[in-house]
Amino acid sequence: MQSVQGVLDTLARRWTGELLMAGTEGARRFREYRRAVPGISDRMLTLRLRELETLGLLSRTVVPSTPVQVLYAPTKHAAELLEAVRPLVRWGTQHMAKAGAQVVAPAS
Amino acid sequence: MQSVQGVLDTLARRWTGELLMAGTEGARRFREYRRAVPGISDRMLTLRLRELETLGLLSRTVVPSTPVQVLYAPTKHAAELLEAVRPLVRWGTQHMAKAGAQVVAPAS
DNA sequence: CAGTATCCCCCGAGATACTG
DNA sequence: CAGTATCTCGGGGGATACTG
């Protein structure tokens, strides 16, 4: 169980899950992630993207155009992680709602 | 993804995973959990056990002997949750170590 | 045995302003 | 556009002492 604590800590932190999803759903640039995740601040976005990069879940590529572009892309690891999380998502969907777990209110 | 945030938040909090494991590994009474999870304080143990009970992951039974006994038992939900976490554990075992994720140092 | 009750501290995250 | 730099606040969790 200790071996997942790191993943868990990371995934559970605010914004991380949403960012990962945003990535798989087509977000690539900084502002695309920001648009995809309503409410996140530039600071948190930067922090999370860096963390995900460090964990090997996102790749970061700087395109030296003017203005500069930075492209983020989910790695294979991220895809595998998302797969690994699936059963947990199913479990959550089936059991947590009725247990009174607070589901984050949709923005819209 | 929002549907798992609750699970994730819970599982990621300190002690929770270890307590769940302790339960499946035979811990039943308050002090058995305390022994099984080195370093946890009475306060945190109480808090976590209550949370897990609220989430429907542990049942709590008071046996009115002298002194009183309180028995905790993982529910079916907990067993299902543990199953659902498996793939994630595998993913973590395979990928996190080398990513520099801090694995909690084993007590012994 | 199985908890409560306090007090305290640190860190995660928000707000705001600024920059190459 | 894609970030940094500060400041602040709240609450999660530790330490310690006490109790039915």
Side-chain angles (χ1 to χ4, degrees), chain B residues 31-65:
Chain B
R31 37 177 278 277
E32 290 174 355
Y33 276 93
R34 187 170 41 199
R35 293 202 59 228
V37 181
I40 195 170
S41 66
D42 285 359
R43 192 179 84 100
M44 290 313 298
L45 182 48
T46 303
L47 288 175
R48 287 296 177 270
L49 290 175
R50 293 278 189 275
E51 290 174 17
L52 293 173
E53 191 193 353
T54 300
L55 290 171
L57 296 175
L58 280 186
S59 68
R60 179 175 184 270
T61 315
V62 178
V63 180
S65 51

Side-chain angles (χ1 to χ4, degrees), chain A residues 14-15 43-44 48:
Chain A
R14 201 167 178 193
W15 310 117
R43 193 179 83 99
M44 290 314 298
R48 287 298 178 270

